[in-house]
Amino acid sequence: MGKSETRAIQPTREENYSEWYQQVIKAADLAEASPVRGCMVIKPWGYEVWENIRHVLDGMFKAEGVKNAYFPLFIPMEFLQKEAEHVEGFATECAVVTHHRLEKSDGKLVPAGELAEPLIVRPTSETIIGESFSRWVKSYRDLPVLINQWANVVRWEMRTRIFLRTSEFLWQEGHTVHASADEAMALAGRMLDLYETLARDYLAIPVIKGRKSESERFPGAVETMCIEAMMQDRKALQAGTSHFLGRNFAKASNILFQSERGRMELAWTTSWGVSTRLIGGLIMSHADDDGMVMPPKIAPAHVVLLPIFRKDSDRQPVMEYVENLAARLREKQYAGRRLGVEIDAKETGGARGWEWIKKGIPIRVEIGPKDMAKGAVFMGRRDTSHRDRKSVGTDLFVDTVTDILDDIQYKTYQKALEFREAHTVFIDARDGFYDFFTPSNPQQPEIHGGFALSHWCGSPECEKKIKDELSVTIRCIPYDRNLAGDGPGRCICCGKESPCRVVFAKAY
RNA sequence: CGGGGCGUAGCGCAGCCUGGUAGCGCACCUGCUUUGGGAGCAGGGAGUCGCAGGUUCAAAUCCUGCCGCCCCGACCA
């Protein structure tokens, strides 16, 4: 058995989770580090995941009446200054452009032509988009303004990790303007719902919707809502955020409109975004010790056909059969796009199959002369053991391939959901809470903890104390009554009255 | 940015302590043999040993500085 028990990824999740994460990205060919500190190269197999996310979300946004637009990468430094909390939130991680030319000096290129006003590379675009909005909006008849942009942003992070936290990342940022607070709040809520749908129905990631505590809020927001997911090391990942910005940014950018009654009023704005971080979440939700596991609805490709030749004379008939099968499969639609079919005719024996296991393709199909003779294919699924393969009639396979993909999609979600539920606990005793979040070996912490649903009095002091002592934060105040609990209780930290339970966890 | 670890072929590593001019496994190329499976044998290609200085007749190896990556903190999508 020895050899067959070896897993494709080393170390395993259990042995060294963060190293495992890096190895999965490498083995699945999703991305790689770049020569630029903290910046990644997203390779085709990873970028297609992003393209699929973009396709799905873009359709959802458009159904909500949101239009795409594009705003500058560079933002005048003074713009950031307009909103007090906003500056404070981002000032420490801004890339600043100070020159516009290079000159040769002693054979080396040196910056020259200093800018009169430095520009920052957008860490987010509220201020520059707000400037446009202030000119676009005159009357209540112009509202709402519903805009989204697909862009890159730069946040100069101290510690980076591919997909999860890189200095540059890709995202979408939605920005809207409304005549009333209720309308803005409702829109921000609907966008959060879209993110939940994307996560649940496409990425197969179960998420908890909720709102952030004051200390975790977006700088300048009145309310930040989020979806939080549990990774396989039981840490929380914020997978998407939606902000109700009140009138803070309207004030900063001077977004005024004339109301029905003829008065000049400050508008209400929102912003909301998800990023390439979702791909990191995808990996840490589903990948196993054999590599990536792609949920079919977001997978770069759905089926790989692996022709098997026993003799040279097999080659042509098998390839013809395989090409023909590929053509039939490609006529099918799945999750709003054409079924993705790869043909891999490399003659490298079983290693070829492992390449695709590591890449996480949902279905592998082996086709040799024997299968052809039977009118069958030999199929393996990524969500079952690599040894667990079976012969299926070719016609039946073609007819049911989308059902099989649906089944893989469903089971991938269920597995992630069961994992989260297994590591989500209601805790009411302070000691129990501390035990839950304390590894038995602090030097080399084992995978431990999870989501603790505990009461919190609402004070920043208790929140900070828990953060300082355990590195545990309030991920969100959940909307789901089953999680928030029925009625008041006692704060896990100070014992004072608490209105509801919140989600405590270590976080990325 | 503080503490620790690491940087040698595409990937994973040995060699470093005790300097002598580079090796192993996998992958890659060629040939033969195999053939329902991470194949076997033989041959082969591929590395300015992270970068820059220094010590030395000689540096992957010793010394200094820098860069990058990983882990633990502080900061964050």
Side-chain angles (χ1 to χ4, degrees), chain A residues 253-478:
Chain A
S253 298
N254 207 30
I255 308 172
L256 291 157
F257 69 98
Q258 196 164 20
S259 73
E260 280 177 80
R261 283 180 291 175
R263 278 207 299 262
M264 292 307 288
E265 290 185 26
L266 273 174
W268 304 83
T269 66
T270 77
S271 69
W272 24 279
V274 298
S275 73
T276 39
R277 172 177 245 209
L278 282 174
I279 300 173
L282 196 66
I283 297 163
M284 290 201 292
S285 293
H286 307 310
D288 61 21
D289 295 334
D290 285 329
M292 187 56 188
V293 175
M294 292 282 184
K297 289 194 175 172
I298 216 75
H302 303 102
V303 182
V304 61
L305 305 181
L306 305 164
I308 291 162
F309 317 117
R310 305 183 71 169
K311 312 185 284 280
D312 274 353
S313 59
D314 291 338
R315 193 177 185 95
Q316 203 206 333
V318 171
M319 277 312 286
E320 242 168 60
Y321 192 88
V322 163
E323 297 282 2
N324 183 271
L325 174 58
R328 288 174 72 191
L329 290 169
R330 285 180 182 134
E331 278 168 23
K332 302 214 150 230
Q333 288 285 123
Y334 185 72
R337 61 199 158 96
R338 221 170 251 283
L339 202 71
V341 182
E342 299 275 343
I343 298 172
D344 186 348
K346 283 199 298 287
E347 290 180 76
T348 53
R352 177 181 60 168
W354 277 98
E355 296 293 312
W356 291 98
I357 291 173
K358 287 187 273 189
K359 287 169 94 79
I361 201 161
I363 299 175
R364 304 183 308 283
V365 172
E366 299 165 8
I367 300 153
K370 281 194 215 167
D371 304 295
M372 270 174 68
K374 279 197 292 183
V377 298
F378 203 61
M379 186 195 75
R381 293 166 51 143
R382 185 57 180 88
D383 64 337
T384 61
S385 161
H386 68 273
R387 268 170 281 157
D388 186 13
R389 292 170 294 172
K390 61 178 181 184
S391 188
V392 184
T394 306
D395 291 340
L396 181 65
F397 175 67
V398 173
D399 288 345
T400 58
V401 63
T402 57
D403 298 333
I404 298 167
L405 291 171
D406 276 339
D407 190 53
I408 295 172
Q409 180 79 27
Y410 174 76
K411 288 193 167 121
T412 305
Y413 176 80
Q414 282 302 316
K415 192 176 172 193
L417 180 63
E418 281 160 24
F419 182 87
R420 187 188 78 191
E421 286 176 347
H423 300 292
T424 300
V425 292
F426 289 78
I427 302 181
D428 292 316
R430 194 171 186 281
D431 287 352
F433 187 87
Y434 274 69
D435 288 347
F436 185 64
F437 286 116
T438 306
S440 56
N441 178 6
Q443 254 36 56
Q444 278 233 276
E446 74 282 4
I447 292 174
H448 68 282
F451 287 1
L453 291 161
S454 297
H455 276 281
W456 171 55
C457 64
S459 84
E461 288 75 22
C462 287
E463 192 181 9
K464 185 168 188 309
K465 189 167 183 232
I466 288 166
K467 186 178 178 181
D468 290 346
E469 293 179 5
L470 290 171
S471 306
V472 167
T473 51
I474 295 169
R475 299 324 304 155
C476 70
I477 301 155

